[in-house]
Amino acid sequence: MPLHKNGVQIEDSWTYLGEEESPTLGDRTILSLDQWKQNREQLLEGNHSYGIVLAPLDEVEELRDDLDRIAVIAVTFPTFANGTGFSQAQLLRRMGFKGELRARGHIIQDQYMYLDRCGFDTLETDKENVVEAWKEALSEMTVFGQPSGDDRQPAYLARHAKGNKAAAE
Amino acid sequence: MYRYDEFDHAFVRQRANQFKGQVARRLSGELTEDEFKPLRLMNGLYLQLHAYMLRVTIPYGTMSSRQLRQLAIIGRKYDKGYGHFTTRQNIQFNWPKLEDVPQILEDLAAVEMHAIQSSGNCIRNVTSDHYAGAIATEVSDPRIHSEVIRQWSSLHPEFSFLPRKFKFAVTGDATDRAAVKFHDIGIIIKKNDAGEVGGEILVGGGMGRTPMIGKTIRDFVPERDLLAYVEAILRVYNLYGRRDNKYKARIKILVHERGIEEIREKVEAEFAQIQGSSLTVPQEELDRIAAYFADPDFEAFDAEALEAINRELEVRKFENRDFAAWMKTNVKPHKQAGYAIADITLKGIGETAGDITSDQMDVVADLTEQFSLDEMRASHEQNLILPHVKQADLFELWSALNSHGLGTPNSGLITDMIVCPGMDYCALATARSIPIGQEISRRFADLERQYDIGGMKIKMSGCINACGHHHAGHIGILGVDRRGEEVYQITLGGSGDETASVGARVGPAFTADEVVDAIETIVNTYLDLRESPEETFLSAYRRVGLDPFKEKLYAAA
Ligand code: SF4
């Protein structure tokens, strides 16, 4: 599946580990949480980084101790209506995950802004014209009602920030 | 009243534009109906039995005359000269065309209104006490925090695709007119011992097929921390709420299955992480919003003037029995001497509950401007309220209302029913509710009889979704389909106030032909068994239980 950053297609140097496959050290594969848990001790021995793919029912808490050894976490949206991944992303960022946070699954244009706001870096999609769609989705709103871990200020702070004061009155 | 500043204006304008783009993408076929559905729902657009329906939110039920006039215009232009007030302080318009909706949203934005999140699996319109700011016993105006929550919840990047819809209600008074215990989150604004304002937070209340009374998750959260606390609840819900079964997806099921202790533990742990973060609403923002809800410029009356006004009202009542009747039920005491709260029930005898014509909206808008310091309210009981009327103006107000069919003197009486649209409009309905409501209304039209029956809340839904709050009705009616026939289940003893209770099924369902007689039997049984005229139906029921009613209802069978 083509990988995009800010709507632009980029190279993906990671592959998903098949269900029946077993991981080897440093093979740049993305493992399911179960695969990771089963092979964790062995994999942590080297100094390679790994990728993890999360399903909605996976507890992100289980990754807390290993975050510095994980380079990419792919959060799955089984359908666009299942928004669990937005909260998983928020928690991962708050736990201090600095690696690539990627969104995969069924995601629609009108969720691009939400991905961006919740700390995702990349998006797997086979849609065309992602650049345009991404640009449009991220420019539609410039006022925000809430903080979300990104640098967009909620209106309740922006209103009272120096320099905005006059504008808001 | 809250007024939009430049941030709010930009927000709704951008949102309306965004929807314009979405509609264009749908019309061009780029979006499938499946993909478009959640987007239109989040902008309040439903596909109903016959056509689209647009649901416009009235945050915490408060509106100005200008806004109501705009709704009248929309009703005329895009509906058939009507609007329909719902049980969630929303107004619905039937028949709009998809391509017209972006224009309607623009028209709404022009008067600081929108349809954002009036449906879909997101945080819905925040509802509140329709007497907020007008009653004496209030701790703090609940609309201040309703507004804070409204802004925070709008297009929330994390909580727009929840397991299921999510409803907030906020009250600032110990007497609960907002049914906070029947909401996903209910907030009771109160003061702690130190005199600080905050809120008691209830979680997991709801109606639908599994009615539940909300449980207190925390007794007091200081007002600056309210957003952090509710965000913690939403995060726990978004992560753990069930998505495998639509009927088990509300937070009430999560609370029920896991227990309030486990949920509290998770929420408190999350709250501890985010308390003090940028979710803390600065005092200057709370002050800014509070200023909008400060008392309007009430006129002061001295004792002598008040006495004169009262004497005059007594004379008017003596001379005009209809006015006296309206005063008796539809006028409530106000916190400011010389003022009153006036209920306009949208429940004329034999009419459709909650319906109002565009012409009537214009009348109410004029009267709002003339008599109520330009402020009116919509209640979850499908009525309108003029919250700030000078007592000296009551007669003139009533005369005007009455001449436009808006002076029905039945607030709180048996004909003041909640009735959902049911099979006449709603795609989900399993039975009609409007005609049954109309028939009950006609059956109990006699005012003396209504007085004798006293305070009584009948609430009716046309399907298990319970938009008509039947679980919380003193008498609840639920229309269901039994092998192709519409039948009606009756529950007794529900209540949506601070003593909240879920009604109990009285027995087998009644057919459409029987149900109104059954209601009459229940009422007559109550009249026979009450200890005194002061004992209300609800108190009598709570004393005697279902049995006496069952006996009478099913005796003949
Ligand atoms: S209760 Fe059912 S029939 Fe009535 S409005 Fe709600 S969904 Fe429609």
Side-chain angles (χ1 to χ4, degrees):
Chain A
M1 185 70 69
L3 187 67
H4 296 78
K5 189 177 174 72
N6 295 327
V8 181
Q9 191 170 341
I10 56 168
E11 199 198 327
D12 187 0
S13 57
W14 292 83
T15 51
Y16 287 90
L17 187 69
E19 250 176 71
E20 304 295 317
E21 293 173 296
S22 12
T24 47
L25 288 184
D27 57 1
R28 290 187 84 77
T29 51
I30 301 177
L31 291 71
S32 73
L33 187 61
D34 276 346
Q35 288 171 327
W36 172 253
K37 285 196 292 195
Q38 276 158 24
N39 299 285
R40 175 177 175 274
E41 289 189 6
Q42 171 212 334
L43 292 175
L44 283 177
E45 271 171 23
N47 52 3
H48 302 286
S49 301
Y50 293 91
I52 307 288
V53 54
L54 289 176
L57 293 176
D58 289 338
E59 282 275 2
V60 296
E61 196 56 38
E62 300 195 63
L63 292 175
R64 182 182 285 276
D65 295 338
D66 305 332
L67 287 178
D68 54 346
R69 297 294 301 278
I70 300 171
V72 49
I73 298 179
V75 174
T76 313
F77 294 83
T79 79
F80 69 93
N82 184 336
T84 314
F86 295 113
S87 286
Q88 290 175 321
Q90 288 283 15
L91 287 182
L92 286 166
R93 285 300 185 214
R94 207 178 65 210
M95 278 158 52
F97 177 61
K98 298 276 186 334
E100 173 190 341
L101 200 48
R102 100 169 38 173
R104 66 191 285 267
H106 184 196
I107 292 153
I108 57 178
Q109 173 179 334
D110 301 274
Q111 293 174 316
Y112 291 174
M113 170 71 96
Y114 299 158
L115 292 179
D116 196 59
R117 293 211 65 199
C118 288
F120 285 93
D121 302 297
T122 54
L123 164 70
E124 290 179 9
T125 176
D126 55 6
K127 286 217 176 79
E128 282 159 31
N129 279 332
V130 186
V131 181
E132 280 308 301
W134 187 269
K135 229 197 262 162
E136 186 179 55
L138 267 79
S139 61
E140 281 167 340
M141 303 297 301
T142 63
V143 180
F144 305 94
Q146 60 297 105
S148 185
D150 59 358
D151 52 10
R152 297 175 179 93
Q153 236 186 355
Y156 60 74
L157 296 179
R159 288 193 165 98
H160 304 285
K162 260 209 154 93
N164 282 342
K165 225 167 183 150
E169 263 151 23
Chain B
M1 261 188 66
Y2 189 71
R3 294 301 312 265
Y4 279 14
D5 68 4
E6 144 167 352
F7 289 89
D8 303 296
H9 274 298
F11 184 86
V12 295
R13 245 185 288 114
Q14 292 171 0
R15 180 63 170 168
N17 271 330
Q18 183 185 43
F19 190 60
K20 198 186 262 178
Q22 292 164 349
V23 168
R25 287 210 299 286
R26 173 71 193 113
L27 291 172
S28 77
E30 185 185 331
L31 283 173
T32 66
E33 176 55 27
D34 257 12
E35 290 175 326
F36 180 59
K37 187 175 167 189
L39 306 177
R40 66 167 163 76
L41 285 180
M42 252 174 278
N43 284 287
L45 190 63
Y46 273 83
L47 196 52
Q48 289 290 60
L49 274 184
H50 314 289
Y52 280 109
M53 176 271 281
L54 181 71
R55 182 183 289 159
V56 176
T57 65
I58 304 162
Y60 34 86
T62 298
M63 264 191 295
S64 68
S65 61
R66 182 163 158 258
Q67 293 174 315
L68 188 56
R69 275 190 201 105
Q70 186 77 315
L71 295 179
I73 292 172
I74 291 171
R76 234 175 248 125
K77 248 166 110 175
Y78 304 103
D79 192 331
K80 298 179 174 174
Y82 277 91
H84 172 79
F85 284 97
T86 76
T87 53
R88 293 221 73 252
Q89 296 180 320
N90 296 318
I91 183 167
Q92 298 183 171
F93 296 104
N94 293 300
W95 321 107
K97 289 205 220 33
L98 179 57
E99 50 271 36
D100 287 337
V101 174
Q103 183 59 49
I104 304 179
L105 295 186
E106 260 173 52
D107 294 349
L108 288 170
V111 294
E112 309 182 4
M113 294 187 84
H114 59 73
I116 297 170
Q117 289 169 213
S118 59
S119 51
N121 291 337
C122 52
I123 298 166
R124 302 288 188 89
N125 185 32
V126 180
T127 56
S128 187
D129 183 355
H130 45 264
Y131 290 166
I135 37 152
T137 46
E138 191 167 85
V139 173
S140 165
D141 195 317
R143 295 173 299 171
I144 300 166
H145 295 95
S146 303
E147 175 59 27
V148 170
I149 294 167
R150 182 189 74 81
Q151 295 193 24
W152 159 82
S153 67
S154 296
L155 306 196
H156 200 296
E158 192 182 340
F159 306 136
S160 290
F161 295 87
L162 295 168
R164 200 79 176 81
K165 57 188 165 184
F166 203 96
K167 299 173 180 177
F168 275 84
V170 188
T171 176
D173 190 21
T175 301
D176 180 11
R177 281 168 294 267
V180 298
K181 293 185 179 175
F182 278 107
H183 283 75
D184 296 282
I185 289 183
I187 301 180
I188 303 168
I189 301 294
K190 47 159 115 166
K191 283 195 175 130
N192 66 7
D193 293 341
E196 293 166 326
V197 174
E200 176 181 344
I201 317 286
L202 295 100
V203 68
M207 306 224 191
R209 66 182 61 208
T210 328
M212 301 259 183
I213 309 269
K215 297 182 181 66
T216 298
I217 185 163
R218 205 194 231 238
D219 194 52
F220 188 83
V221 177
E223 58 179 343
R224 64 180 174 280
D225 289 333
L226 274 176
L227 280 190
Y229 203 85
V230 297
E231 175 142 322
I233 295 175
L234 263 298
R235 186 161 297 132
V236 167
Y237 172 56
N238 194 37
L239 286 165
Y240 300 106
R242 287 180 58 175
R243 296 176 192 263
D244 58 327
N245 179 342
K246 179 177 168 197
Y247 301 115
K248 299 204 183 297
R250 296 287 289 270
I251 196 173
K252 64 189 174 188
I253 303 292
L254 185 68
V255 172
H256 181 70
E257 288 181 348
R258 306 251 183 152
I260 183 72
E261 292 75 22
E262 185 186 333
I263 299 302
R264 180 180 295 124
E265 212 175 282
K266 282 186 159 30
V267 168
E268 289 285 339
E270 179 61 23
F271 176 59
Q273 296 279 323
I274 57 181
Q275 185 183 19
S277 69
S278 52
L279 283 162
T280 310
V281 182
Q283 189 58 46
E284 45 193 336
E285 175 69 358
L286 291 173
D287 292 346
R288 183 188 76 92
I289 296 176
Y292 288 117
F293 296 109
D295 283 346
D297 281 331
F298 292 126
E299 196 178 318
F301 298 94
D302 60 24
E304 208 175 313
L306 288 174
E307 216 190 297
I309 294 166
N310 266 317
R311 255 197 322 269
E312 160 99 19
L313 278 177
E314 286 310 314
V315 173
R316 292 285 193 193
K317 288 199 287 190
F318 183 75
E319 289 170 351
N320 190 319
R321 287 194 54 194
D322 292 342
F323 176 62
W326 183 79
M327 284 289 294
K328 181 176 162 132
T329 49
N330 291 40
V331 175
K332 309 285 157 65
H334 197 282
K335 66 179 181 187
Q336 179 76 17
Y339 282 79
I341 302 170
D343 293 342
I344 304 170
T345 69
L346 301 179
K347 315 286 171 60
I349 298 302
E351 287 175 3
T352 303
D355 268 13
I356 182 167
T357 66
S358 286
D359 292 346
Q360 286 175 323
M361 283 189 240
D362 280 338
V363 170
V364 176
D366 290 345
L367 298 174
T368 296
E369 203 174 9
Q370 198 181 345
F371 293 120
S372 186
L373 299 167
D374 206 21
E375 195 178 321
M376 55 83 61
R377 310 284 172 80
S379 78
H380 83 271
E381 296 184 318
Q382 302 179 285
N383 293 324
L384 303 182
I385 289 108
L386 298 187
H388 306 306
V389 182
K390 272 188 226 164
Q391 286 180 310
D393 292 337
L394 283 167
F395 184 76
E396 208 182 324
L397 169 66
W398 169 80
S399 309
L401 286 171
N402 208 36
S403 62
H404 292 92
L406 292 164
T408 313
N410 62 349
S411 180
L413 298 177
I414 189 168
T415 56
D416 182 9
M417 284 172 282
I418 290 181
V419 181
C420 86
M423 192 85 99
D424 290 282
Y425 292 97
C426 178
L428 303 170
T430 43
R432 283 167 301 166
S433 41
I434 290 173
I436 305 291
Q438 291 170 331
E439 207 183 319
I440 295 173
S441 170
R442 282 190 292 263
R443 180 75 63 96
F444 291 97
D446 181 72
L447 206 48
E448 288 308 319
R449 189 170 178 215
Q450 293 195 53
Y451 290 150
D452 188 27
I453 298 164
M456 167 71 93
K457 292 185 192 294
I458 296 185
K459 305 186 180 187
M460 174 161 32
S461 308
C463 83
I464 194 78
N465 284 327
C467 305
H469 295 190
H470 64 275
H471 298 298
H474 300 165
I475 299 178
I477 306 174
L478 166 63
V480 294
D481 175 277
R482 192 174 64 193
R483 293 183 294 275
E485 188 188 14
E486 295 162 77
V487 295
Y488 297 85
Q489 294 174 355
I490 295 181
T491 50
L492 299 181
S495 170
D497 64 9
E498 62 284 1
T499 68
S501 53
V502 174
R505 274 273 292 281
V506 72
F510 298 89
T511 64
D513 289 340
E514 298 164 346
V515 62
V516 182
D517 289 338
I519 301 297
E520 191 158 25
T521 304
I522 291 165
V523 169
N524 289 338
T525 307
Y526 151 67
L527 292 175
D528 284 346
L529 63 72
R530 69 181 174 190
E531 283 178 333
S532 73
E534 279 68 50
E535 192 183 40
T536 61
F537 175 84
L538 188 61
S539 334
Y541 170 82
R542 283 176 174 169
R543 176 171 58 79
V544 302
L546 276 177
D547 285 343
F549 298 96
K550 259 190 178 149
E551 262 164 48
K552 292 278 191 226
L553 280 169
Y554 302 104

